[in-house]
Amino acid sequence: AVGPQQPLMPFFHDQGRSSLRRMYVEAWRKHRESLPVEPVEDQIIRVVSLHPEYARLLESDPAALDRYYSPEAGQTNPFLHMGLHLAIREQVATDRPAGIAAVHRSLAARLGDVHEAEHAMIERLGEALWSAQRAGLPPDEAQYLESLRRLL
């Protein structure tokens, strides 16, 4: 199980929603203006680049920073989606939970696309986080990894 010191989404676990969303906007602005970026901003830029619809949002919709995206109304939260991409990439880079890097490689090879593999894995990460939140417990890494292996 993941303890409070090591969450499944390690990038931004101590950030507030508004400051986190501003970080995406700022990273994308720096990219557009060819300014130097921090390593985490580079990661954000790489994810935003895969989602042009989110790039447009970051460039032109200041209300997006405060908007509530309702899953019940079928709305995808672009910030959550990008954050889950970043979390998957961090998990793969650190191979935590152990074995996730191999699952990622196999899934990317099977699907022929790393981005699509991340999307499949994001679904499972979202489920693991939702279940943990509902239960009031840390996410179960073993169960999460098993759900990822079932994608293969």
Side-chain angles (χ1 to χ4, degrees), residues 25-45:
V25 171
E26 182 64 10
W28 191 246
R29 180 191 66 77
K30 287 180 175 181
H31 169 71
R32 289 188 345 263
E33 296 176 8
S34 300
L35 296 171
V37 296
E38 298 295 323
V40 71
E41 291 172 322
D42 184 59
Q43 289 292 327
I44 290 169
I45 290 163

Side-chain angles (χ1 to χ4, degrees), residues 8-9 11-12 17 20-21 24 47-48 51 54 57-58 64-65 67-71 75-88 118-119 121-123 125-130 133:
L8 276 177
M9 286 188 59
F11 263 152
F12 307 119
R17 183 176 84 172
L20 175 58
R21 289 180 178 188
Y24 283 89
V47 169
V48 173
H51 293 279
Y54 298 161
L57 176 99
L58 295 174
L65 294 177
R67 184 172 297 131
Y68 172 71
Y69 297 90
S70 169
Q75 297 176 312
T76 298
N77 180 333
F79 298 100
L80 176 60
H81 182 83
M82 291 184 287
L84 291 172
H85 268 292
L86 293 169
I88 292 291
E118 286 180 9
H119 277 174
M121 294 172 77
I122 281 171
E123 289 291 321
L125 176 57
E127 291 168 6
L129 294 171
W130 181 81
Q133 182 180 12

Side-chain angles (χ1 to χ4, degrees), residues 56-123:
R56 286 189 298 276
L57 176 99
L58 295 174
E59 292 169 15
S60 63
D61 188 359
L65 294 177
D66 297 315
R67 184 172 297 131
Y68 172 71
Y69 297 90
S70 169
E72 298 80 18
Q75 297 176 312
T76 298
N77 180 333
F79 298 100
L80 176 60
H81 182 83
M82 291 184 287
L84 291 172
H85 268 292
L86 293 169
I88 292 291
R89 290 172 178 206
E90 176 74 8
Q91 291 171 353
V92 169
T94 60
D95 197 30
R96 180 160 185 271
I100 195 169
V103 169
H104 179 261
R105 278 191 306 275
S106 297
L107 189 58
R110 187 171 74 73
L111 296 176
D113 186 313
V114 171
H115 188 215
E116 287 309 311
E118 286 180 9
H119 277 174
M121 294 172 77
I122 281 171
E123 289 291 321

